[in-house]
Structure formats: structure tokens, C-alpha cells
């Protein structure tokens, strides 16, 4: 029983970490200038579209 609970907690924490990382990354995209976006192969419109997604959506 404890093992099952531990697995559920670990899965939940992993999901929360992924969501937080996705949220931060999308916000950081908005801070990049045109040249930085070009370096990573993204244009401003794509960066804004990605940043507009909710954190739970891939």
C-alpha cells in the first residue's frame, strides 16, 4: 500500500514539475529578441503562439 501511495506522489510531483517547467519556458520565449529567436529557429508569431498555450497542454 505504501508503495502505491509513493508511486502516486512521485507521479504527481513529476507532473507538477513538468507543468512548471513548461510554464517558465513559455514565458521565457516572450523575453527573447528577434535575433535570439532566430538562433533557435523560431519567429515571433510562433513564440507568442507557444507562450499562449496553457501549461498543461503540450
Amino acid at each position: 500500500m505504501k508503495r502505491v501511495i509513493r508511486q502516486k506522489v512521485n507521479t504527481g510531483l513529476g507532473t507538477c514539475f513538468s507543468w512548471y517547467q513548461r510554464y517558465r519556458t513559455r514565458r521565457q520565449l516572450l523575453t527573447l529578441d528577434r535575433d535570439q529567436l532566430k538562433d533557435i529557429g523560431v519567429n515571433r508569431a510562433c513564440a507568442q503562439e507557444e507562450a499562449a498555450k496553457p501549461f498543461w497542454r503540450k
Side-chain angles (χ1 to χ4, degrees):
M1 185 66 169
K2 287 182 183 181
R3 182 175 166 205
V4 172
I5 293 171
R6 190 176 324 122
Q7 287 175 338
K8 297 287 184 185
V9 169
N10 286 340
T11 300
L13 289 174
T15 299
C16 289
F17 177 76
S18 295
W19 285 351
Y20 179 66
Q21 188 174 24
R22 202 174 294 150
Y23 169 81
R24 278 189 28 219
T25 302
R26 288 177 177 164
R27 295 296 150 239
Q28 288 172 343
L29 272 176
L30 296 176
T31 67
L32 300 178
D33 64 31
R34 187 179 61 205
D35 292 330
Q36 291 170 320
L37 289 170
K38 185 178 176 183
D39 286 344
I40 62 170
V42 176
N43 62 35
R44 176 66 56 199
C46 289
Q48 290 174 333
E49 184 179 327
E50 185 65 27
K53 290 180 184 178
F55 62 85
W56 60 85
R57 192 172 298 150
K58 288 186 178 182

